[in-house]
Amino acid sequence: MPIVELEKIRKVYDTKVAVEGLSLTIEPGTMFGLLGPNGSGKTSTIRMMIGMTVPDSGSVSLFGKPFDRKALHRVGYLPEERGLYKKMKVIDQLVFLGQLHGLSEATARSRSLAWCERVQITEAIEKKTEELSKGMQQKIQFIAALLHEPELIIMDEPFSGLDPVNAELLQDTLIDLRKEGKAVLFSTHRMDQVEKMCDAIALISRGKLVLSGSMREVKSSYPRNRVHVVFSGDETFLQNAEVEEAKNYAGVAELKLHSEAGAQKVLAEAMARGTVIHRFDVKEPTLEEIFIERVRASFGDEEARGIVDA
Amino acid sequence: MHNVWLIAKREYTERIKTKGFLIATILIPLLMGGGLFGVATLAAKSKTTSHIAVLTSQLQLADDLKQELQNGKDSQMTVDILPARTSHAVLDQEMANKELDGYLVIVPATDAGRRPTFDFTPRSTADIATSSAIEEALHHVLTKEYLAQKGVSDSETAALMAPVTLNVLGKNGVHGNSKSSFLVAYVLFFLMYMVVLLYGMNVARSIIEEKTSRVFEVLLATIKPDELLAGKILGVGAVGLTQVAIWMGAAGLIAARLGATSGVQISTPQVVYFIVYFALGYALYSAVAAALGAMTNSEQELQQLNMFLMMPLFFSMLMLMPIVTNPNSLMSRIVSQIPFCAPLLMDLRISISMPQPWEIALSIGLILITIYAVLWVSSRIYRVGILMYGKKPNLPEILRWLKYS
């Protein structure tokens, strides 16, 4: 039974089409990455997933049933725009938000304290929210989304604005939750995080799904035509006919080849010309490369330069 | 319902804890009491103390007038008696130097039995107090003179001229105090005016605050906009009621302490009706305020739309005097049925002179219908508006929002 099932959803705001015929499925126990450039419809999709807005057409199912507000008690949501009551004490705020998700006051309080300890912000409990740093506020919001032990966790840009230490702390927390069998959906621009953490991804551009599937499927559908070379000496081998595109950073080059087989020919030419090869690494494209390529294809090359910021 | 209760509880406890609440609770009655006390003191002390000259050849009349003006009920003027032929130019010069506030020229009547002509030239024509004091004094003096001519003794004249005391009785025949019952009506009117406006605006502000801090996104992921709106209106309204209850309680305590000496009485029906109309008025205005809050993005933008709240309240204020002077006129009865004015005006009429029961019932019914209609519109605007940031919507856009379900 899929946790989330979107079937050809469509949303139009006045004249702008935000989401167009989007379908996707999230299975239990997966870490799902929702990717896309700015303004591509990620937040609109998430809002429809949790009933904040209603799709103009298409259907949304949560936990195997058509959308029903009661199911929201099983969903934890961290919005992209962080929002907390500034004047409220942290603990009061967490208890209030926990109660809104159907917890009793006592449970909400004890879980809040436990979570604060887990993400190392115990000293903030008695403070007012406005006295805290942005990173701390983000952790509080993170806790608020998880207090009621949701089976589906939706996080819009969860790591933006966090320092590496804290970003890793929250990443590990999400990975632990996935191990417990929860489904986690998060949207991000950080492809390295997605590559490291996600089991499945969906790439949206201009409101349409351009790519989706498990990470392995997505990667294996692309040829291993990337080469990372570290060399010294003659660099004319970079002009080999097999090379489609080369970026040379003085001794380190990233190559994109026409075919998988081309790698051997390029290496042979380098050897023949007496170039010293320190490293010659044949790889599949990174997710970032796939992302840029697909988004560009959906926009047309020139337009995409300004839009892709991944 | 549970969610509505949670929202209302948060709204209530967070607001009660603020310093603003404490300050408003203490300051508003202080300012209001101070204002009323100040007006009362000024009114008591407003005897005219002008310096005028009387130009006449009738010395007896002039002397009586001088007595009357210098030691009268409402005047403590300085009066100089000058010969009739004194040059007006000299007096005009004195007035220009602010040594004199005016001069009265008494020209004897040509026929016997007719009144003399009185021409008063004041330094400022706006000085109504002085001219009316002179008018009254002249009337007094002429009557006395006439009675003296007819051979009525001085003591008889004094008895005849003594002011009449009118005992105003309440329905139960108890000696009432009409001045203090007006005072109570005024105080209740302005109290309701202030509290309805203050807490209506608080609802709008609290919506804007949640909008700017983006708390909505989190809240809407679990609860419906309608629940949020209902909880907010109830929570903020409960704070207003608490404040009013504190004031009423304090006023009751003070009245009990001072006892009969204060002469101010608030009857139980007055309090009950006040609370009923306050609750209705607040619900109506806060529903409008909620729509305004959802449409705007900042406090400044809200200020521009403020007039929608202020206009009916201001109109009610204009109607205050006509209703006080004639609470049962056709106009009073009509304007006190207008739903946006009824909370203030019908309650005012109840304080002054109890209207027919059907009038009260009708006004409450009309307000309830209006609250329902306004809430219907507001909740739709709210539902869409709270997720809209940035640009302020124009009228066609708002009308389109009403069509979204």
Side-chain angles (χ1 to χ4, degrees):
Chain A
M1 176 198 76
I3 299 274
V4 180
E5 208 170 0
L6 303 182
E7 184 70 34
K8 293 199 177 111
I9 54 165
R10 176 186 156 89
K11 182 82 188 173
V12 182
Y13 290 112
D14 288 332
T15 52
K16 190 179 176 284
V17 182
V19 177
E20 173 79 75
L22 187 105
S23 302
L24 62 85
T25 309
I26 301 174
E27 299 292 335
T30 41
M31 184 79 79
F32 193 94
L34 187 61
L35 319 174
N38 293 339
S40 58
K42 294 185 301 258
T43 301
S44 297
T45 307
I46 289 176
R47 280 184 176 177
M48 282 186 272
M49 219 180 272
I50 55 172
M52 238 151 94
T53 51
V54 182
D56 297 338
S57 65
S59 68
V60 178
S61 302
L62 288 184
F63 308 106
K65 289 186 207 113
F67 180 81
D68 176 13
R69 293 198 69 87
K70 283 193 198 105
L72 288 179
H73 280 318
R74 299 161 73 184
V75 178
Y77 172 53
L78 175 81
E80 182 183 9
E81 302 276 4
R82 313 286 183 253
L84 292 166
Y85 289 104
K86 288 189 208 113
K87 306 264 175 203
M88 241 177 143
K89 276 204 305 194
V90 169
I91 184 71
D92 291 346
Q93 186 132 236
L94 286 174
V95 170
F96 169 69
L97 292 170
Q99 281 181 298
L100 278 185
H101 283 94
L103 297 181
S104 74
E105 194 182 333
T107 322
R109 189 171 296 273
S110 65
R111 283 195 195 162
S112 303
L113 295 175
W115 268 107
C116 284
E117 207 161 313
R118 185 163 170 184
V119 299
Q120 303 158 11
I121 49 166
T122 336
E123 76 274 16
I125 289 173
E126 288 299 318
K127 285 188 185 159
K128 278 189 186 173
T129 311
E130 60 186 353
E131 296 165 15
L132 303 178
S133 72
K134 228 180 149 194
M136 276 213 196
Q137 292 191 23
Q138 195 156 335
K139 282 181 172 179
I140 288 158
Q141 192 122 41
F142 187 83
I143 297 175
L146 300 173
L147 273 183
H148 54 294
E149 301 185 337
E151 292 153 68
L152 169 63
I153 298 157
I154 298 176
M155 304 209 150
D156 210 346
E157 300 279 351
F159 311 117
S160 69
L162 285 179
D163 63 60
V165 179
N166 281 316
E168 190 165 327
L169 182 71
L170 296 197
Q171 273 176 32
D172 291 347
T173 312
L174 286 185
I175 290 169
D176 288 348
L177 289 166
R178 197 251 325 255
K179 277 187 205 142
E180 291 167 27
K182 312 226 153 109
V184 182
L185 176 144
F186 70 91
S187 77
T188 182
H189 295 305
R190 296 275 305 275
M191 295 303 142
D192 54 329
Q193 282 168 348
V194 176
E195 220 162 351
K196 203 161 67 181
M197 296 170 68
C198 288
D199 309 306
I201 58 161
L203 172 60
I204 305 179
S205 183
R206 306 180 116 185
K208 285 184 192 152
L209 193 67
V210 291
L211 185 69
S212 77
S214 75
M215 190 65 97
R216 198 158 307 144
E217 276 168 24
V218 170
K219 285 268 193 135
S220 61
S221 68
Y222 283 82
R224 291 171 62 87
N225 63 346
R226 311 291 161 125
V227 182
H228 177 76
V229 201
V230 182
F231 64 94
S232 46
D234 187 1
E235 52 182 60
T236 41
F237 75 98
L238 295 177
Q239 270 104 51
N240 187 291
E242 292 290 335
V243 177
E244 186 186 323
E245 204 184 314
K247 284 181 191 146
N248 185 6
Y249 310 101
V252 182
E254 300 286 347
L255 309 184
K256 184 182 173 190
L257 309 178
H258 290 296
S259 70
E260 276 188 59
Q264 295 307 316
K265 294 179 190 161
V266 174
L267 182 60
E269 185 182 343
M271 303 300 277
R273 290 183 184 271
T275 310
V276 182
I277 301 287
H278 302 289
R279 190 165 162 196
F280 194 87
D281 195 358
V282 183
K283 305 184 296 182
E284 56 202 0
T286 63
L287 199 55
E288 184 162 337
E289 284 161 334
I290 297 174
F291 178 93
I292 293 174
E293 191 182 303
R294 296 305 294 253
V295 171
R296 276 195 188 155
S298 78
F299 276 96
D301 233 0
E302 280 311 304
E303 214 182 328
R305 267 183 237 285
I307 293 156
V308 177
D309 62 353
Chain B
M1 257 340 268
H2 182 63
N3 287 339
V4 175
W5 161 246
L6 282 173
I7 297 283
K9 197 178 105 187
R10 194 205 75 85
E11 231 19 272
Y12 183 80
T13 46
E14 288 298 310
R15 266 162 208 285
I16 289 281
K17 278 193 270 179
T18 58
K19 287 195 193 80
F21 177 77
L22 192 69
I23 292 169
T25 308
I26 296 170
L27 268 191
I28 289 182
L30 270 187
L31 286 177
M32 219 155 146
L36 279 170
F37 183 76
V39 168
T41 337
L42 276 180
K45 286 194 176 161
S46 70
K47 288 185 170 184
T48 52
T49 53
S50 313
H51 178 201
I52 64 162
V54 178
L55 279 61
T56 182
S57 50
Q58 290 173 295
L59 287 179
Q60 180 59 41
L61 179 66
D63 223 37
D64 286 346
L65 185 61
K66 182 175 175 173
Q67 285 302 318
E68 196 69 34
L69 286 176
Q70 285 183 336
N71 310 303
K73 195 152 62 77
D74 299 315
S75 57
Q76 271 182 321
M77 298 205 253
T78 315
V79 180
D80 300 334
I81 302 174
L82 300 175
R85 250 167 285 151
T86 312
S87 146
H88 290 191
V90 174
L91 294 170
D92 286 338
Q93 184 55 44
E94 276 182 32
M95 281 210 290
N97 295 341
K98 302 198 175 162
E99 288 157 10
L100 198 65
D101 294 307
Y103 56 90
L104 178 70
V105 183
I106 304 177
V107 184
T110 40
D111 307 341
R114 299 198 71 172
R115 280 182 175 177
T117 319
F118 305 101
D119 295 322
F120 181 56
T121 315
R123 182 153 61 88
S124 149
T125 42
D127 188 359
I128 303 166
T130 304
S131 48
S132 65
I134 295 173
E135 206 175 301
E136 203 180 319
L138 280 170
H139 189 242
H140 235 138
V141 169
L142 288 175
T143 315
K144 267 187 190 168
E145 235 171 41
Y146 177 80
L147 288 173
Q149 271 174 22
K150 292 288 173 188
V152 181
S153 75
D154 280 0
S155 60
E156 271 178 307
T157 309
L160 200 61
M161 304 285 286
V164 175
T165 316
L166 178 68
N167 292 321
V168 181
L169 300 182
K171 276 223 180 81
N172 44 13
V174 177
H175 193 300
N177 183 335
S178 59
K179 260 190 192 157
S180 73
S181 84
F182 270 127
L183 191 72
V184 170
Y186 274 123
V187 169
L188 291 182
F189 180 91
F190 282 106
L191 196 63
M192 193 182 299
Y193 177 94
M194 275 199 278
V195 178
V196 163
L197 189 62
L198 184 69
Y199 284 93
M201 290 306 286
N202 270 350
V203 170
R205 271 200 211 102
S206 133
I207 289 171
I208 289 175
E209 188 202 317
E210 281 178 9
K211 224 172 146 167
T212 45
S213 68
R214 310 283 157 112
V215 182
F216 272 135
E217 299 249 352
V218 189
L219 299 182
L220 289 181
T222 45
I223 65 173
K224 284 189 273 183
D226 293 359
E227 291 173 326
L228 196 53
L229 181 61
K232 198 167 277 296
I233 291 180
L234 290 177
V236 177
V239 180
L241 269 181
T242 309
Q243 199 158 51
V244 170
I246 293 174
W247 290 338
M248 292 267 181
L253 274 180
I254 293 169
R257 269 283 166 81
L258 295 177
T261 51
S262 67
V264 177
Q265 287 171 329
I266 303 180
S267 61
T268 321
Q270 255 180 337
V271 173
V272 172
Y273 278 118
F274 178 81
I275 290 175
V276 168
Y277 278 105
F278 164 73
L280 292 172
Y282 163 76
L284 186 56
Y285 279 90
S286 61
V288 176
L292 297 184
M295 278 189 258
T296 48
N297 290 303
S298 67
E299 194 89 9
Q300 288 88 324
E301 280 178 35
L302 180 66
Q303 298 290 339
Q304 296 165 5
L305 294 176
N306 240 345
M307 57 169 184
F308 288 107
L309 281 189
M310 300 287 284
M311 262 182 340
L313 288 173
F314 191 68
F315 176 74
S316 303
M317 191 101 105
L318 287 180
M319 286 295 120
L320 179 70
M321 274 334 276
I323 289 183
V324 165
T325 47
N326 204 345
N328 289 313
S329 71
L330 185 63
M331 191 191 70
S332 302
R333 298 167 82 150
I334 291 173
V335 293
S336 62
Q337 291 295 350
I338 300 171
F340 281 93
C341 304
L344 286 165
L345 297 181
M346 190 55 86
D347 191 54
L348 179 70
R349 284 183 62 198
I350 289 171
S351 299
I352 298 172
S353 127
M354 190 56 93
Q356 297 289 323
W358 68 263
E359 289 187 277
I360 298 179
L362 177 65
S363 77
I364 292 180
L366 285 178
I367 300 173
L368 285 175
I369 293 170
T370 317
I371 291 177
Y372 182 81
V374 171
L375 269 182
W376 188 88
V377 173
S378 289
S379 65
R380 267 159 187 78
I381 291 181
Y382 184 78
R383 241 180 266 172
V384 185
I386 50 178
L387 284 175
M388 300 274 170
Y389 306 117
K391 181 164 119 11
K392 195 163 85 180
N394 52 28
L395 195 62
E397 268 172 324
I398 290 169
L399 290 178
R400 208 168 327 128
W401 291 359
L402 295 184
K403 280 187 261 166
Y404 297 157
S405 58

